[in-house]
Amino acid sequence: MKAIKLTVMLMFSAFWLQAQVQLPVEQVFQNTYQKGTRSTDGKPGKNYWQNSSNYNIKVDFNPVTRLLKGSVDITYTNNSPDTLKEVWFKLYPNLYKKGTPRKARFAEADLGEGVAIEKIAANGKSVNDFSIDGTNMTVKVPPVLPGKTIRFAIDYNYVLNKGSHMRTGQVDDGAHFVAYFFPRIAVYDDVDGWNKYPYTGAEEFYNDFDNFNAEITVPGGYGVWATGDLKNASDVFQREIVSKLASAEKNDAIVDVITEADLAAKKVTQPKPFNTFKFEAKNVTDFVFALSNHYLWKSSSLIVDPATKRRTRVDAVFNPKHKDYYEVIDFARKTVNAMSYQFPKWPYPYNHETVFDGLDQMEYPMMVNDNPVDKREDAITLTDHEIFHTMFPFYMGINETKYGWMDEGWATIGEWLISPMIDSTIVDEYGIQPTAASSGSKDDSPIMTLTPDLKGSGSFTNSYPKPGLAYLFVKDYLGDELFTKALHNYIKNWNGKHPMPYDFFYSMNQGSGKDLNWFWKPWFFDGGVLDLAIKSANKTDSGYAIVIENKGMKALPIDLLLTFEDGSTENNHSTIGVWEKGNKETIVSINTNKVLKKIVMGNPHTPDKVKSDNSFTVN
């Protein structure tokens, strides 16, 4: 009897396993499982490794000529099992170099000579065997064995761009946002080896977790804000500014650290011809700085971790002419609070976050470069979107160059969820209609398509709303508590590391205790139209049976507005779980004694290409 039962159970289990959806795993990822650097439970494998560097940067920046002269000492540790005979660097400012291939469009007048490498030394010896190809630089080096380090000393200079602002450059005559300003070592990982993708202005970035010590020298009268902690505030700011900053770091109240009166009285920086600002940042993926001689500075802080009482300081640094920015400090503070306590419900990981009034909409560790906007709603959604990037790609070391959806999708759902927490009147439908309209078209490639290969509308929808919707629908399906558990499993597994797509899928499966491949496969690996239709509505003994047809391959939630003969209405919601079995139709059962007259299907966050079949009159 026991043997028969066991046989039946094994046969059933084998059938059940065969029925489970399998994700198509590329060979490069299968290799990582074989090498033991990654695992199918979503965790880093027992042999996981990643390389890292310590950067000591010294920069002299002239805001009039925009000449940046720098030196960088780098100690690079090879934690890989491979012997490295060359080291790849990224020279991101070469995006503005004449002749560099790029997807971004720049005015010819804004192009220059790019980065001039004055000297490279490796382990104290001059290196002449290096080549520069656009934004990549390859340096031949003595073999760097596994577990060993190599030290580089590089002197360089370039002129910061003034026009065609792409994530960095001059903002106005007295303000600059300076990003990607130093030669940095490219990522060497267990999947691809060296990250050889050039920076074209379209794709974003992939960096190791490194430690930075930076000294930034600017003319007197200029304040500097940067990634990391300012280590010599009293040396560069006057006493009252230092006092107000210290107060902001300890209190919830908003403090006007730099006012218009301070600027007019020249009571901001130390009265010297030049000031050198010293910053330190540990275990971060990048370092940027910004400067201005006429910006206001509002600051506040809040407890982000109730267990340790750790606080995060939030700053808004802006041109007093931009009236929308006076509220940005409030939006930023509420975003950090919402991220810490509501979504993703993870204590904000850094000591500060600075929103700088610039010419872009771009994120960096502990900094964002946000242009002014005309509408309050836009200021809210822009602020929370860019700050949300703190988690993805910075706390989680995402390869944005290949998989933009792994960070932009999270910033998009963060924007959708947090914006109404700041202002309850906001219904943020960012990207929903383009997603619906383009679904099933030539530009509707699978989300897993590498970011550099995206074309047309897919360059936007595949990175932002499509993955954002997928996360939103899974959240709805699992419920807030289980979704948070699954997401926290992913974060715990991979913060400070380099997660790849399958690490995410498997971490969410493991964390939720559910096999979500039935959803991941069509949403991330397949194309297809997004289209639901009301097929019929039939009277039953207990009410009505409404038949909904899914005309595409992807699971979508169902939201119905029911109108009855007496004029009353009722909302009915079904999660994506109704499509879990791969069915093309589902029945929504309505228990009611009322006479149903009309059904309208739709939700602001449910893309539907053909809306003509979303309304049904019951006869």
mmCIF file of all heavy atoms in Angstrom, residues 5 28 31 107 116 154 161 178 212 236 238 298 315 382 393 408 417 439 472 475 495 509 523 526 543 555 570 589 600:
data_model
loop_
_atom_site.group_PDB
_atom_site.id
_atom_site.type_symbol
_atom_site.label_atom_id
_atom_site.label_comp_id
_atom_site.label_asym_id
_atom_site.label_seq_id
_atom_site.Cartn_x
_atom_site.Cartn_y
_atom_site.Cartn_z
ATOM 1 N N LYS A 5 1.209 4.049 -3.064
ATOM 2 C CA LYS A 5 1.002 5.481 -2.810
ATOM 3 C C LYS A 5 2.208 6.291 -3.242
ATOM 4 O O LYS A 5 2.094 7.335 -3.866
ATOM 5 C CB LYS A 5 0.723 5.718 -1.320
ATOM 6 C CG LYS A 5 -0.707 5.487 -0.916
ATOM 7 C CD LYS A 5 -0.923 5.944 0.518
ATOM 8 C CE LYS A 5 -2.402 5.872 0.891
ATOM 9 N NZ LYS A 5 -2.626 6.354 2.269
ATOM 10 N N VAL A 28 25.564 31.973 -21.004
ATOM 11 C CA VAL A 28 26.488 32.685 -20.107
ATOM 12 C C VAL A 28 26.044 32.576 -18.657
ATOM 13 O O VAL A 28 26.884 32.563 -17.749
ATOM 14 C CB VAL A 28 26.628 34.176 -20.495
ATOM 15 C CG1 VAL A 28 27.385 34.333 -21.798
ATOM 16 C CG2 VAL A 28 25.272 34.874 -20.549
ATOM 17 N N ASN A 31 26.649 28.963 -17.390
ATOM 18 C CA ASN A 31 28.061 28.830 -17.019
ATOM 19 C C ASN A 31 28.304 29.253 -15.569
ATOM 20 O O ASN A 31 29.122 28.663 -14.863
ATOM 21 C CB ASN A 31 28.940 29.672 -17.943
ATOM 22 C CG ASN A 31 28.939 29.157 -19.371
ATOM 23 O OD1 ASN A 31 28.562 28.017 -19.638
ATOM 24 N ND2 ASN A 31 29.352 29.993 -20.310
ATOM 25 N N ALA A 107 25.092 69.256 -30.506
ATOM 26 C CA ALA A 107 25.481 70.314 -31.442
ATOM 27 C C ALA A 107 26.974 70.209 -31.703
ATOM 28 O O ALA A 107 27.768 69.932 -30.797
ATOM 29 C CB ALA A 107 25.134 71.681 -30.856
ATOM 30 N N ALA A 116 42.298 64.219 -22.070
ATOM 31 C CA ALA A 116 43.730 64.147 -22.377
ATOM 32 C C ALA A 116 44.422 63.387 -21.242
ATOM 33 O O ALA A 116 44.403 63.831 -20.091
ATOM 34 C CB ALA A 116 44.320 65.548 -22.517
ATOM 35 N N ILE A 154 47.147 58.168 -12.471
ATOM 36 C CA ILE A 154 46.796 58.778 -13.761
ATOM 37 C C ILE A 154 46.613 60.278 -13.586
ATOM 38 O O ILE A 154 45.882 60.718 -12.685
ATOM 39 C CB ILE A 154 45.494 58.160 -14.331
ATOM 40 C CG1 ILE A 154 45.630 56.637 -14.455
ATOM 41 C CG2 ILE A 154 45.148 58.783 -15.684
ATOM 42 C CD1 ILE A 154 44.354 55.943 -14.883
ATOM 43 N N ASN A 161 31.627 69.943 -20.665
ATOM 44 C CA ASN A 161 30.701 70.452 -21.683
ATOM 45 C C ASN A 161 29.848 71.591 -21.140
ATOM 46 O O ASN A 161 29.452 71.616 -19.972
ATOM 47 C CB ASN A 161 29.790 69.333 -22.181
ATOM 48 C CG ASN A 161 29.062 68.614 -21.067
ATOM 49 O OD1 ASN A 161 29.682 67.943 -20.252
ATOM 50 N ND2 ASN A 161 27.740 68.758 -21.043
ATOM 51 N N VAL A 178 28.996 67.929 -12.226
ATOM 52 C CA VAL A 178 30.161 67.265 -12.802
ATOM 53 C C VAL A 178 30.118 65.774 -12.467
ATOM 54 O O VAL A 178 30.388 65.363 -11.329
ATOM 55 C CB VAL A 178 31.471 67.892 -12.278
ATOM 56 C CG1 VAL A 178 32.665 67.316 -13.035
ATOM 57 C CG2 VAL A 178 31.428 69.416 -12.417
ATOM 58 N N PHE A 212 35.944 55.829 -2.159
ATOM 59 C CA PHE A 212 36.426 57.077 -2.750
ATOM 60 C C PHE A 212 36.862 58.060 -1.675
ATOM 61 O O PHE A 212 36.149 58.274 -0.689
ATOM 62 C CB PHE A 212 35.330 57.744 -3.587
ATOM 63 C CG PHE A 212 34.904 56.954 -4.796
ATOM 64 C CD1 PHE A 212 33.870 56.029 -4.707
ATOM 65 C CD2 PHE A 212 35.539 57.132 -6.022
ATOM 66 C CE1 PHE A 212 33.474 55.297 -5.821
ATOM 67 C CE2 PHE A 212 35.146 56.405 -7.134
ATOM 68 C CZ PHE A 212 34.116 55.486 -7.046
ATOM 69 N N VAL A 236 35.976 74.884 4.833
ATOM 70 C CA VAL A 236 35.491 75.439 3.565
ATOM 71 C C VAL A 236 34.254 76.323 3.724
ATOM 72 O O VAL A 236 34.026 77.229 2.906
ATOM 73 C CB VAL A 236 35.204 74.305 2.557
ATOM 74 C CG1 VAL A 236 36.504 73.654 2.110
ATOM 75 C CG2 VAL A 236 34.249 73.254 3.149
ATOM 76 N N GLN A 238 31.809 78.922 6.239
ATOM 77 C CA GLN A 238 31.903 79.793 7.405
ATOM 78 C C GLN A 238 31.097 79.199 8.565
ATOM 79 O O GLN A 238 30.248 78.333 8.387
ATOM 80 C CB GLN A 238 31.437 81.203 7.048
ATOM 81 C CG GLN A 238 32.369 81.873 6.040
ATOM 82 C CD GLN A 238 32.082 83.352 5.855
ATOM 83 O OE1 GLN A 238 31.604 84.019 6.768
ATOM 84 N NE2 GLN A 238 32.399 83.876 4.675
ATOM 85 N N LYS A 298 18.533 74.186 1.276
ATOM 86 C CA LYS A 298 17.605 73.776 2.329
ATOM 87 C C LYS A 298 17.955 72.356 2.744
ATOM 88 O O LYS A 298 18.258 71.509 1.888
ATOM 89 C CB LYS A 298 16.156 73.847 1.848
ATOM 90 C CG LYS A 298 15.625 75.267 1.652
ATOM 91 C CD LYS A 298 14.179 75.250 1.166
ATOM 92 C CE LYS A 298 13.621 76.661 1.015
ATOM 93 N NZ LYS A 298 13.399 77.319 2.325
ATOM 94 N N ASP A 315 18.893 67.138 1.240
ATOM 95 C CA ASP A 315 19.220 68.503 0.820
ATOM 96 C C ASP A 315 18.532 68.860 -0.484
ATOM 97 O O ASP A 315 18.373 68.013 -1.366
ATOM 98 C CB ASP A 315 20.731 68.651 0.608
ATOM 99 C CG ASP A 315 21.547 68.338 1.842
ATOM 100 O OD1 ASP A 315 21.095 68.693 2.939
ATOM 101 O OD2 ASP A 315 22.628 67.733 1.707
ATOM 102 N N LEU A 382 9.159 63.612 -10.466
ATOM 103 C CA LEU A 382 10.575 63.639 -10.822
ATOM 104 C C LEU A 382 11.439 63.393 -9.595
ATOM 105 O O LEU A 382 12.390 62.596 -9.624
ATOM 106 C CB LEU A 382 10.936 64.983 -11.463
ATOM 107 C CG LEU A 382 12.421 65.227 -11.759
ATOM 108 C CD1 LEU A 382 12.981 64.150 -12.673
ATOM 109 C CD2 LEU A 382 12.614 66.612 -12.389
ATOM 110 N N PRO A 393 19.939 51.608 -9.268
ATOM 111 C CA PRO A 393 20.995 50.598 -9.357
ATOM 112 C C PRO A 393 22.130 50.750 -8.347
ATOM 113 O O PRO A 393 23.173 50.132 -8.538
ATOM 114 C CB PRO A 393 21.564 50.877 -10.745
ATOM 115 C CG PRO A 393 21.551 52.382 -10.821
ATOM 116 C CD PRO A 393 20.288 52.805 -10.088
ATOM 117 N N GLU A 408 15.261 50.972 -13.919
ATOM 118 C CA GLU A 408 14.240 51.957 -14.301
ATOM 119 C C GLU A 408 12.827 51.463 -13.998
ATOM 120 O O GLU A 408 11.944 52.252 -13.660
ATOM 121 C CB GLU A 408 14.362 52.319 -15.781
ATOM 122 C CG GLU A 408 15.643 53.060 -16.151
ATOM 123 C CD GLU A 408 15.755 54.435 -15.501
ATOM 124 O OE1 GLU A 408 14.794 54.882 -14.842
ATOM 125 O OE2 GLU A 408 16.822 55.062 -15.663
ATOM 126 N N LEU A 417 3.801 54.584 -6.835
ATOM 127 C CA LEU A 417 3.298 54.319 -5.485
ATOM 128 C C LEU A 417 3.541 55.470 -4.515
ATOM 129 O O LEU A 417 2.695 55.764 -3.665
ATOM 130 C CB LEU A 417 3.942 53.047 -4.935
ATOM 131 C CG LEU A 417 3.605 51.743 -5.663
ATOM 132 C CD1 LEU A 417 4.387 50.587 -5.068
ATOM 133 C CD2 LEU A 417 2.106 51.460 -5.608
ATOM 134 N N SER A 439 2.252 47.797 -27.883
ATOM 135 C CA SER A 439 2.275 46.351 -27.679
ATOM 136 C C SER A 439 1.894 45.624 -28.961
ATOM 137 O O SER A 439 0.977 46.019 -29.671
ATOM 138 C CB SER A 439 1.333 45.953 -26.535
ATOM 139 O OG SER A 439 -0.019 46.170 -26.881
ATOM 140 N N LEU A 472 4.352 45.753 -10.378
ATOM 141 C CA LEU A 472 3.098 46.181 -9.762
ATOM 142 C C LEU A 472 2.085 45.038 -9.738
ATOM 143 O O LEU A 472 1.396 44.813 -8.724
ATOM 144 C CB LEU A 472 2.531 47.367 -10.529
ATOM 145 C CG LEU A 472 1.343 48.093 -9.903
ATOM 146 C CD1 LEU A 472 1.769 48.835 -8.642
ATOM 147 C CD2 LEU A 472 0.738 49.078 -10.909
ATOM 148 N N LYS A 475 3.064 42.431 -7.193
ATOM 149 C CA LYS A 475 2.755 42.970 -5.864
ATOM 150 C C LYS A 475 1.272 42.788 -5.535
ATOM 151 O O LYS A 475 0.898 42.387 -4.425
ATOM 152 C CB LYS A 475 3.140 44.446 -5.803
ATOM 153 C CG LYS A 475 2.906 45.140 -4.461
ATOM 154 C CD LYS A 475 3.425 46.577 -4.523
ATOM 155 C CE LYS A 475 3.284 47.295 -3.188
ATOM 156 N NZ LYS A 475 1.882 47.570 -2.849
ATOM 157 N N ASN A 495 22.375 43.110 -2.300
ATOM 158 C CA ASN A 495 22.853 44.474 -2.079
ATOM 159 C C ASN A 495 24.371 44.452 -1.949
ATOM 160 O O ASN A 495 24.962 43.570 -1.334
ATOM 161 C CB ASN A 495 22.167 45.132 -0.874
ATOM 162 C CG ASN A 495 22.726 44.690 0.456
ATOM 163 O OD1 ASN A 495 23.767 45.178 0.910
ATOM 164 N ND2 ASN A 495 22.026 43.765 1.104
ATOM 165 N N ASN A 509 11.067 34.217 -6.537
ATOM 166 C CA ASN A 509 10.400 32.919 -6.397
ATOM 167 C C ASN A 509 10.676 32.326 -5.013
ATOM 168 O O ASN A 509 9.761 31.885 -4.315
ATOM 169 C CB ASN A 509 10.906 31.942 -7.462
ATOM 170 C CG ASN A 509 10.396 32.263 -8.861
ATOM 171 O OD1 ASN A 509 9.615 33.187 -9.044
ATOM 172 N ND2 ASN A 509 10.851 31.506 -9.833
ATOM 173 N N TRP A 523 5.964 37.770 -19.627
ATOM 174 C CA TRP A 523 6.145 39.204 -19.437
ATOM 175 C C TRP A 523 7.546 39.678 -19.807
ATOM 176 O O TRP A 523 7.724 40.775 -20.331
ATOM 177 C CB TRP A 523 5.820 39.616 -17.989
ATOM 178 C CG TRP A 523 4.464 40.250 -17.885
ATOM 179 C CD1 TRP A 523 3.312 39.639 -17.548
ATOM 180 C CD2 TRP A 523 4.124 41.612 -18.186
ATOM 181 N NE1 TRP A 523 2.257 40.528 -17.604
ATOM 182 C CE2 TRP A 523 2.727 41.753 -17.987
ATOM 183 C CE3 TRP A 523 4.851 42.720 -18.589
ATOM 184 C CZ2 TRP A 523 2.057 42.954 -18.189
ATOM 185 C CZ3 TRP A 523 4.188 43.930 -18.787
ATOM 186 C CH2 TRP A 523 2.811 44.035 -18.591
ATOM 187 N N ASP A 526 8.848 37.245 -23.753
ATOM 188 C CA ASP A 526 8.007 37.203 -24.952
ATOM 189 C C ASP A 526 7.471 38.593 -25.285
ATOM 190 O O ASP A 526 7.391 39.464 -24.417
ATOM 191 C CB ASP A 526 6.822 36.251 -24.748
ATOM 192 C CG ASP A 526 7.252 34.829 -24.441
ATOM 193 O OD1 ASP A 526 8.340 34.433 -24.921
ATOM 194 O OD2 ASP A 526 6.520 34.123 -23.717
ATOM 195 N N GLY A 543 -26.229 35.414 -9.583
ATOM 196 C CA GLY A 543 -25.891 36.745 -10.069
ATOM 197 C C GLY A 543 -25.520 36.736 -11.533
ATOM 198 O O GLY A 543 -26.379 36.497 -12.388
ATOM 199 N N ALA A 555 -0.290 38.143 -18.625
ATOM 200 C CA ALA A 555 -1.343 38.238 -17.614
ATOM 201 C C ALA A 555 -1.559 39.691 -17.213
ATOM 202 O O ALA A 555 -0.599 40.420 -16.942
ATOM 203 C CB ALA A 555 -0.962 37.417 -16.392
ATOM 204 N N GLU A 570 -20.549 49.254 -8.498
ATOM 205 C CA GLU A 570 -19.688 48.394 -7.687
ATOM 206 C C GLU A 570 -18.400 48.136 -8.456
ATOM 207 O O GLU A 570 -18.416 47.951 -9.682
ATOM 208 C CB GLU A 570 -20.419 47.077 -7.411
ATOM 209 C CG GLU A 570 -19.649 46.076 -6.578
ATOM 210 C CD GLU A 570 -20.433 44.791 -6.365
ATOM 211 O OE1 GLU A 570 -21.644 44.882 -6.046
ATOM 212 O OE2 GLU A 570 -19.846 43.711 -6.534
ATOM 213 N N SER A 589 -17.211 35.912 -11.447
ATOM 214 C CA SER A 589 -18.550 35.651 -10.897
ATOM 215 C C SER A 589 -18.979 36.794 -9.995
ATOM 216 O O SER A 589 -18.235 37.197 -9.089
ATOM 217 C CB SER A 589 -18.550 34.340 -10.107
ATOM 218 O OG SER A 589 -18.239 33.259 -10.953
ATOM 219 N N VAL A 600 -17.917 48.168 -17.408
ATOM 220 C CA VAL A 600 -16.790 48.875 -18.015
ATOM 221 C C VAL A 600 -15.513 48.344 -17.381
ATOM 222 O O VAL A 600 -15.391 48.305 -16.151
ATOM 223 C CB VAL A 600 -16.885 50.398 -17.823
ATOM 224 C CG1 VAL A 600 -15.651 51.101 -18.391
ATOM 225 C CG2 VAL A 600 -18.152 50.943 -18.491
#
